[in-house]
Amino acid sequence: MAGSTVMLLHHAKLEGADTILGDQLPLGTTEACLQVPKSRAELPITAKVAAAARAMVAEGRFATIISQYVGPSWQ
């Protein structure tokens, strides 16, 4: 999942401000989670989305997507 720092760096790159920011926006990793209302927690679709997210993390797809937008330096 991409947080605000990743999106800010992406937009800075689009606007050409990434060279000005340099390493002032350190990026890191955090645990991804799926947040749903309690009334939806036990629905089959919630389990499917959670399983898909776990698979994407295991396959490195989230890292690939973030790298596409901000470059590999975030890792």
Side-chain angles (χ1 to χ4, degrees), residues 14-59:
L14 289 177
E15 298 298 324
D18 55 331
T19 56
I20 297 168
L21 293 173
D23 61 357
Q24 295 180 36
L25 292 176
L27 300 176
T29 57
T30 58
E31 298 258 345
C33 69
L34 176 64
Q35 186 175 4
V36 296
K38 287 182 182 181
S39 63
R40 306 275 185 205
E42 302 303 322
L43 292 179
I45 189 68
T46 303
K48 288 180 183 179
V49 170
R54 283 192 296 273
M56 287 180 74
V57 169
E59 294 168 6

Side-chain angles (χ1 to χ4, degrees), residues 1 51-69 74-75:
M1 304 188 115
R54 283 192 296 273
M56 287 180 74
V57 169
E59 294 168 6
R61 287 201 222 164
F62 283 134
T64 300
I65 291 167
I66 294 171
S67 293
Q68 177 182 344
Y69 289 98
W74 72 275
Q75 296 182 19

